Amino acid sequence: MTATNPLPIQPSLELPSDAPPVLVFDVETNGGSPPLVCQLAFVVARDGVVQEGSWIFQLPEGESMKPWAFNVHGIRLSTCRERGHAPRPIIEYFLCKAHEVLKAGGLVVAHNKGGDVSSLR
């Protein structure tokens, strides 16, 4: 990862260290068809520590935010344009974290499995 697009995950809570790792994630979209992810958020509970990350994504030029989607998540198109990150490195980082959790015998849990997984694809 580059210094211009940092992917920080900060510890936020201590948990028992003998629990299997768990990654829980959720995405928000622009409400289009096909949906475009405008936010990815996840937490990883592993080795007694919870780490969390949440990123706003850039949307492709010419795309819009559907009013009903904004009413659900409150993310404005201007926020995506002004503060959004390129999606690819963040999704790759997220997938690495998910593979680490699965390799360690843990679980990956989606808030909305069908919608969240298909949106990330």
Side-chain angles (χ1 to χ4, degrees):
M1 298 303 132
T2 67
T4 58
N5 193 11
L7 301 175
I9 289 191
Q10 300 297 320
S12 62
L13 178 65
E14 293 294 324
L15 293 177
S17 60
D18 58 347
V22 177
L23 182 149
V24 180
F25 74 99
D26 188 25
V27 302
E28 301 297 346
T29 71
N30 71 333
S33 181
L36 297 172
V37 175
C38 60
Q39 181 184 37
L40 168 63
F42 66 93
V43 296
V44 179
R46 182 176 189 172
D47 298 328
V49 177
V50 173
Q51 299 176 312
E52 53 193 16
S54 178
W55 299 272
I56 299 292
F57 288 174
Q58 297 167 347
L59 294 178
E61 195 63 38
E63 291 295 338
S64 64
M65 187 71 67
K66 302 296 182 201
W68 68 265
F70 170 77
N71 290 338
V72 170
H73 53 60
I75 301 168
R76 298 183 183 284
L77 182 60
S78 60
T79 302
C80 294
R81 289 191 177 133
E82 295 165 11
R83 298 190 339 219
H85 296 277
R88 184 178 203 105
I90 295 168
I91 292 172
E92 289 173 352
Y93 178 72
F94 164 75
L95 291 174
C96 286
K97 289 291 181 185
H99 286 287
E100 288 173 8
V101 165
L102 292 172
K103 188 175 179 180
L107 298 171
V108 174
V109 180
H111 172 256
N112 171 3
K113 180 183 173 192
D116 291 348
V117 171
S118 66
S119 295
L120 284 174
R121 286 189 179 138

